[in-house]
Amino acid sequence: MRIAFLVLLVLSLFLLPNGIGKSLAARPSVVNIGSILRLNSTTGGVSDVAIRAAVEDINSDPTVLNGTTLHVQTRDTNCDDGFLGMVQALQFMETDVIAIIGPQCSPIAHIISYVANELQVPLMSFASDATLSSIQFPFFVRTMPSDLYQMAAVAAVIDYYQWKIVTAIYVDDDYGRNGIAALDDELTARRCKISFKIGFRSNAKKSDLLNLLVTVSNMESRVIILHTGSEPGLKLLSLANGLNMMGNGYVWIATDWLSAYLDANSSVSAETINGMQGVLTVRPHTPKSKVKSNLVSKWSSLSKKYNHSDLRTSAYGFYVYDSVWTVARALDAFFDDGGRISFTNDSRLRDETGGTLHLEAMSVFDMGNKLLNKIRNVNFTGVSGQVQFNAQFELIHPAYDIISIIGNGMRTIGFWSNYTRLLSTVLPEDLYSKPPNTSLANQQLYDVIWPGETAQRPRGWAFPSNAKELKIGVPNRFSFKDFVSKDNATGSMKGYCIDVFTQALALLPYPVTYRFIPFGNGTENPHYSQLVQMVADNDFDAAIGDIVITMSRTKAVDFTQPFIESGLVILSPIKKHITNSWAFLQPFTLGMWCVTGLSFLVVGVVIWILEHRINNDFRGSPRQQIITIVWFSFSTLFFAHRENTMSTLGRGVLLIWLFVVLIIQSSYTASLTSILTVQQLDTSIRGLDDLKNSDYPIGFQVGSFVEEYMIKELNISQSRLKALGSPEEYAENLKLGPKKGGVMAIVDERPYVELFLSTYCKIAVAGSDFTSGGWGFAFPRDSPLQIDLSTAILTLSENGELQRIHDKWLKTGDCSTDNAEFVDSNQLRLESFMGLFLICGAACVLALLIYLGITIRQYLRHEQPGPAISVDAGSSTSKRSLRKFISFADDKQPPPKKKRAMSLSRSSMPTMPMSNRPGADIDVES
């Protein structure tokens, strides 16, 4: 007995791996999968045909499941009635299926995903709701792109055509709400927004839809996004056509429900097509392939076979077909890896009340996790393209076709792919082999015929006929009322800025109702930064007036095109230069005169030193030599020096000095001419640097941004700044000056300064503008009215109307032409010639050093070598040597020996004065 037992044990040890392993790997003859569809819908019918076609192809291919037959059980469910659909889906889960294809409806998919998680049955769903994710529902497998990508494609189209606001119409369920939420996120990332959202019930009545469309027609946005099902969507488009909402100026963008309907239905009426001309839609992109062509070619016979003869295939059909193949390939790998089909009842699923749901009949797929992993690891090329899941368990390379409805069909105008997240006319599959180019400049779509049969891109918005009255804030100024002010008699606003606004508004192709609201009490100028902030806070719908465009303000609001240039300038009191008998001294400053005169003397001394030993013109008595130095120095000013320079060093120094004299002489002549012919103005402030480096008070206009600018940008202490409220205060403070309680200068914007100078003639602008900018009208972020008014302002500028308004309000007086700009003093400063003087000085020093070296060498050769001098010798010896050297340097240099011999050989020649002998004093060293 023991021996028999041991034999059996040994046999079992040897046979167990093969025997039991084979048993586990044994493939069942039939495997059941389920499908939950709404069969009476277009998508449901196409999906039913696709599932049956895939099962038929799989079972006829022996290389896929290796003898196992795939069987599908289909359950028709109701998407409109959420509760009934949920009950029908739960009843279907009582059957033992290893995977489920569907459901197509997002509300049902949410419910079934919870059940699939509990029963560990992979749910191969083509519901596009973006909130369905594998993080919350591990057994949820999305087999087509989600609405995250679809809405990214729609947002890219909106951004491409530069529309900033849209209206969203959606069916009010999980699918509609979550899709529009995804669109809102994508638009926000592109600085666009949904200005109005309106939802409706899937079974809404015609009257409800009509009221919805009337409400939408009263909105300013004319770009309408339609995210619904096919039945209510078609009804809405038909009603919109009847309300003339499919005409000029409107833009309709339908999500992929429209392309799916038109692709699948072969008998769409001409009336329906004609009512949606110019509508844009998107379609999940499926690349062309042989397997896709084969499926399309046999689709007609398949649809007849499965009782859907009126339906053609669509992108949904391709993805559903590949979903079944995904399960089949995963099952094949599952069986190869030892997987087996078995179910276990879950003790937690008990129907204690004896209801008809029979929860206890639901069983858990024991190896569901293993099959799920095989599904996530599939990688094959299907009819929809590459079937492969990324790390987030989404299909790789989601892409969409951008389609325009035109004529009797659809025309593809471009593509969007998640690979570049840009629009392109290049097929997405052609981009995958290249590095992604994400430059917005590469975006392109083909031309579109828009609603109303126009090729011109719609503006995308219109001022609604029943729009509320715009509240426009206008500064109620105390000073410079020519720009904008309140008429106390009538209570209306008037001024240059008001005329520009009203004239620009008259050019708009639609009426705008508005009301001016004065901002400020009129006793002092209001603070414009507060006015701009009220626009950003939606207290005002806009703000017009003399509002300068600054960087900090553009961060809060949008400005129109500037209608007048405005840079900061400096106002300073002036005094006129009166031409007198000493006007010839004015071209040079005192320092320039002193340095120039000293340079003449220095150069004269240097030339004398270099020429003294060899040139008789620079020899003689001390008195004669001093006169020669002075005469030679100043005669070079007129290039009238008679003394010849004979040494190379002297000629080099003289050449450089004559160039310096030429520049100084020319500059003096030009400056003196200007002084004698042009009226001169003088001020203690000549520009921004003088303003910053001084410690005197500076004035600015109350309410202006100038105070903040000078503190933050110019680092000027606030204690130096003084607020001034009127032109009279400007003039008074500049007249008093800083020592009497006034200011040294005033910083203000050029338009105010020009108006001020038309009255006050003893003040001028010092220097030039040190900022550049302009005035514009402020609107809330992304306001379409801002864009149209900018275009209108440009039109006013081009047709001359803007200049006419300027001349009407801001015509300057006579004295402004004299003092509009401060003519800086024409005195030439030492700084302008410092480089020339340095070059000349360096040449003199270098020449002297070379000459000293040559003289010392000649002196050492001249002196006979004698006994060495002791270090301890007295100072008398040193002084005697110095005097001896100075005497040597002062003596005339004798001619060289060769030249002396030549002179002896010519002793028979008549004698002539030394100064007239040719070459008598040629410098040997030269």
Side-chain angles (χ1 to χ4, degrees):
M1 209 44 198
R2 272 182 199 173
I3 295 174
F5 178 78
L6 290 173
V7 171
L8 290 174
L9 181 60
V10 171
L11 289 173
S12 64
L13 289 174
F14 281 101
L15 296 176
L16 184 60
N18 296 325
I20 296 181
K22 186 176 181 179
S23 174
L24 289 175
R27 296 172 179 257
S29 59
V30 177
V31 173
N32 292 321
I33 63 171
S35 66
I36 302 177
L37 305 170
R38 183 186 176 186
L39 295 176
N40 65 344
S41 67
T42 298
T43 301
V46 170
S47 300
D48 185 43
V49 176
I51 291 172
R52 295 178 183 274
V55 170
E56 183 179 306
D57 291 344
I58 292 167
N59 289 334
S60 61
D61 189 346
T63 63
V64 181
L65 289 178
N66 197 16
T68 300
T69 301
L70 195 64
H71 182 262
V72 60
Q73 302 177 24
T74 302
R75 174 58 61 92
D76 188 10
T77 186
N78 190 347
C79 288
D80 295 333
D81 192 330
F83 176 75
L84 182 58
M86 178 186 67
V87 171
Q88 292 170 342
L90 288 175
Q91 289 175 339
F92 181 71
M93 297 302 289
E94 296 177 1
T95 59
D96 291 338
V97 292
I98 53 93
I100 297 176
I101 311 298
Q104 68 191 72
C105 311
S106 294
I108 306 301
H110 275 275
I111 300 298
I112 299 301
S113 294
Y114 286 104
V115 181
N117 281 355
E118 183 66 27
L119 301 183
Q120 298 185 14
V121 175
L123 188 65
M124 313 295 291
S125 178
F126 43 97
S128 60
D129 185 355
T131 61
L132 287 165
S133 70
S134 59
I135 298 176
Q136 182 182 9
F137 306 113
F139 281 83
F140 174 82
V141 181
R142 194 192 310 277
T143 58
M144 71 173 298
S146 78
D147 280 343
L148 284 177
Y149 304 109
Q150 177 178 203
M151 295 308 174
V154 172
V157 172
I158 294 169
D159 188 40
Y160 175 79
Y161 289 111
Q162 300 179 358
W163 297 314
K164 292 301 181 182
I165 57 173
V166 302
T167 296
I169 303 176
Y170 61 95
V171 60
D172 196 4
D173 58 14
D174 292 340
Y175 162 76
R177 286 190 301 270
N178 296 331
I180 294 302
L183 175 63
D184 204 358
D185 292 340
E186 290 290 340
L187 290 175
T188 301
R190 292 169 169 82
R191 286 193 62 184
C192 307
K193 67 178 181 179
I194 301 176
S195 61
F196 184 66
K197 303 177 186 178
I198 184 167
F200 63 93
R201 293 171 55 189
S202 58
N203 57 353
K205 298 178 181 178
K206 180 179 179 180
S207 58
D208 296 332
L209 297 179
L210 278 172
N211 292 334
L212 179 151
L213 289 173
V214 170
T215 302
V216 169
S217 68
N218 291 329
M219 298 295 108
E220 60 181 351
S221 172
R222 289 294 183 262
V223 181
I224 302 170
I225 311 300
L226 196 55
H227 186 53
T228 69
S230 59
E231 185 177 342
L234 293 173
K235 190 181 297 184
L236 275 167
L237 289 176
S238 176
L239 294 174
N241 188 39
L243 293 174
N244 294 323
M245 294 177 65
M246 300 297 294
N248 237 336
Y250 278 92
V251 177
W252 288 82
I253 303 178
T255 50
D256 59 358
W257 65 266
L258 180 57
S259 62
Y261 176 82
L262 295 178
D263 283 336
N265 285 274
S266 57
S267 57
V268 180
S269 66
E271 182 182 359
T272 301
I273 289 291
N274 291 335
M276 59 177 71
Q277 293 295 301
V279 175
L280 297 184
T281 185
V282 296
R283 173 204 292 143
H285 178 73
T286 56
K288 294 180 179 180
S289 63
K290 186 176 181 180
V291 290
K292 178 180 175 181
S293 299
N294 292 338
L295 179 62
V296 172
S297 62
K298 65 179 181 179
W299 185 270
S300 178
S301 59
L302 289 172
S303 60
K304 291 179 181 179
K305 180 179 179 181
Y306 299 119
N307 300 321
H308 295 287
S309 57
D310 57 334
L311 294 179
R312 298 176 299 185
T313 187
S314 66
Y316 275 90
F318 299 141
Y319 282 105
V320 173
Y321 181 87
D322 283 344
S323 300
V324 182
W325 270 94
T326 300
V327 174
R329 291 179 182 274
L331 271 173
D332 192 48
F334 172 79
F335 290 138
D336 285 345
D337 197 25
R340 60 186 178 86
I341 306 297
S342 63
F343 297 89
T344 303
N345 289 333
D346 191 343
S347 59
R348 294 174 299 174
L349 299 177
R350 295 289 180 182
D351 192 354
E352 302 294 343
T353 59
T356 59
L357 287 179
H358 301 293
L359 296 178
E360 70 279 0
M362 297 183 184
S363 54
V364 178
F365 182 18
D366 294 330
M367 302 190 76
N369 273 306
K370 189 169 187 176
L371 178 60
L372 178 64
N373 290 332
K374 299 299 181 183
I375 289 174
R376 288 175 171 175
N377 290 324
V378 297
N379 185 358
F380 68 98
T381 301
V383 295
S384 63
Q386 188 68 20
V387 180
Q388 185 181 355
F389 297 96
N390 59 19
Q392 291 76 38
F393 307 116
E394 297 276 355
L395 288 174
I396 64 170
H397 299 324
Y400 282 86
D401 301 338
I402 312 301
I403 297 170
S404 171
I405 310 299
I406 182 171
N408 295 324
M410 298 182 288
R411 172 175 175 259
T412 300
I413 61 171
F415 308 94
W416 178 93
S417 70
N418 191 54
Y419 186 67
T420 61
R421 297 189 69 82
L422 297 178
L423 299 170
S424 175
T425 54
V426 180
L427 289 169
E429 54 268 25
D430 293 340
L431 299 174
Y432 299 149
S433 59
K434 306 174 185 177
N437 190 337
T438 57
S439 173
L440 293 176
N442 295 324
Q443 289 202 122
Q444 184 181 3
L445 290 176
Y446 292 119
D447 294 336
V448 178
I449 302 300
W450 300 99
E453 298 183 358
T454 176
Q456 184 178 1
R457 178 187 68 88
R459 184 172 57 236
W461 83 286
F463 207 86
S465 56
N466 64 340
K468 63 178 182 179
E469 188 178 58
L470 294 181
K471 297 183 296 182
I472 299 179
V474 183
N476 186 14
R477 295 190 58 88
F478 171 70
S479 62
F480 297 107
K481 293 188 175 183
D482 300 80
F483 293 104
V484 60
S485 63
K486 181 180 179 181
D487 189 340
N488 294 325
T490 62
S492 61
M493 305 301 296
K494 63 179 183 178
Y496 167 72
C497 299
I498 300 298
D499 278 8
V500 172
F501 176 75
T502 55
Q503 290 295 321
L505 216 59
L507 296 177
L508 300 184
Y510 47 84
V512 178
T513 57
Y514 60 90
R515 175 167 54 96
F516 289 141
I517 301 177
F519 177 73
N521 52 23
T523 59
E524 64 176 5
N525 295 332
H527 289 274
Y528 282 39
S529 294
Q530 296 178 6
L531 174 60
V532 171
Q533 188 58 44
M534 292 183 71
V535 176
D537 296 338
N538 293 321
D539 295 327
F540 287 134
D541 297 312
I544 69 168
D546 48 338
I547 306 171
V548 66
I549 303 172
T550 65
M551 182 181 296
S552 59
R553 292 173 182 175
T554 55
K555 294 178 180 179
V557 297
D558 284 343
F559 283 92
T560 62
Q561 171 79 16
F563 55 86
I564 190 172
E565 293 184 359
S566 172
L568 291 182
V569 293
I570 301 172
L571 276 175
S572 181
I574 60 171
K575 60 180 179 180
K576 294 183 179 179
H577 275 234
I578 301 174
T579 304
N580 53 32
S581 57
W582 297 98
F584 68 91
L585 295 176
Q586 294 180 8
F588 288 165
T589 61
L590 178 61
M592 182 66 182
W593 278 118
C594 293
V595 172
T596 303
L598 182 62
S599 298
F600 275 102
L601 294 176
V602 169
V603 171
V605 171
V606 171
I607 296 295
W608 175 82
I609 293 173
L610 298 175
E611 297 288 328
H612 177 65
R613 294 189 69 214
I614 64 173
N615 195 337
N616 287 337
D617 290 344
F618 290 89
R619 299 189 64 81
S621 64
R623 179 174 175 273
Q624 288 176 335
Q625 293 184 55
I626 292 174
I627 292 174
T628 298
I629 291 172
V630 175
W631 163 254
F632 178 83
S633 300
F634 289 98
S635 63
T636 57
L637 178 62
F638 309 102
F639 307 101
H641 51 285
R642 294 182 301 175
E643 294 77 11
N644 293 323
T645 52
M646 306 182 68
S647 66
T648 302
L649 294 175
R651 290 170 179 173
V653 171
L654 183 61
L655 180 65
I656 295 174
W657 172 245
L658 290 178
F659 176 73
V660 174
V661 170
L662 176 65
I663 299 299
I664 293 175
Q665 186 188 63
S666 302
S667 302
Y668 175 86
T669 304
S671 181
L672 182 62
T673 302
S674 176
I675 289 173
L676 296 177
T677 57
V678 180
Q679 183 186 29
Q680 298 295 301
L681 307 176
D682 189 18
T683 178
S684 56
I685 298 291
R686 289 181 170 81
L688 183 60
D689 291 335
D690 291 345
L691 190 72
K692 293 195 294 184
N693 296 332
S694 67
D695 294 325
Y696 294 116
I698 304 170
F700 67 92
Q701 186 180 165
V702 174
S704 172
F705 79 102
V706 175
E707 179 183 15
E708 182 182 2
Y709 178 84
M710 287 194 289
I711 294 173
K712 293 184 177 180
E713 302 297 331
L714 303 182
N715 296 319
I716 296 176
S717 174
Q718 190 171 12
S719 61
R720 292 179 55 195
L721 304 182
K722 183 176 182 180
L724 305 174
S726 66
E728 293 75 18
E729 288 188 45
Y730 281 22
E732 182 66 23
N733 278 266
L734 288 174
K735 180 180 179 182
L736 291 174
K739 296 181 180 180
K740 296 182 180 181
V743 296
M744 173 63 70
I746 295 173
V747 177
D748 206 349
E749 298 171 55
R750 177 164 288 278
Y752 302 121
V753 169
E754 290 178 350
L755 196 61
F756 172 80
L757 293 178
S758 66
T759 305
Y760 297 91
C761 301
K762 294 183 179 181
I763 300 169
V765 174
S768 58
D769 299 20
F770 55 89
T771 66
S772 60
W775 291 352
F777 303 139
F779 288 88
R781 278 280 188 214
D782 303 320
S783 171
L785 196 58
Q786 172 257 339
I787 300 174
D788 286 354
L789 271 179
S790 293
T791 305
I793 290 172
L794 288 174
T795 303
L796 292 177
S797 177
E798 292 172 358
N799 62 21
E801 185 66 18
L802 202 59
Q803 184 63 42
R804 189 195 65 78
I805 299 173
H806 179 278
D807 295 341
K808 171 186 174 183
W809 289 98
L810 308 178
K811 190 174 183 180
T812 55
D814 295 335
C815 71
S816 65
T817 57
D818 297 331
N819 299 345
E821 296 290 343
F822 165 64
V823 182
D824 199 1
S825 175
N826 285 329
Q827 280 191 316
L828 300 174
R829 300 170 179 268
L830 178 61
E831 293 83 358
S832 303
F833 301 90
M834 185 61 70
L836 286 174
F837 287 126
L838 288 176
I839 293 173
C840 186
C844 291
V845 172
L846 181 60
L848 289 175
L849 290 176
I850 295 173
Y851 175 78
L852 181 61
I854 293 173
T855 304
I856 291 174
R857 188 183 67 175
Q858 291 176 349
Y859 171 73
L860 293 177
R861 289 179 178 176
H862 179 268
E863 289 296 314
Q864 295 296 330
I869 299 175
S870 173
V871 178
D872 299 329
S875 61
S876 60
T877 305
S878 299
K879 291 180 179 178
R880 187 166 54 251
S881 299
L882 180 60
R883 285 196 299 269
K884 195 173 182 180
F885 174 76
I886 293 175
S887 177
F888 174 81
D890 184 58
D891 291 341
K892 181 173 177 59
Q893 179 177 329
K897 294 180 180 180
K898 292 181 180 180
K899 291 186 180 283
R900 187 179 303 169
M902 291 176 62
S903 63
L904 290 175
S905 66
R906 297 175 183 175
S907 58
S908 61
M909 296 176 64
T911 60
M912 58 176 56
M914 179 68 69
S915 59
N916 295 331
R917 294 177 185 175
D921 294 325
I922 296 175
D923 182 8
V924 177
E925 295 303 322
S926 66

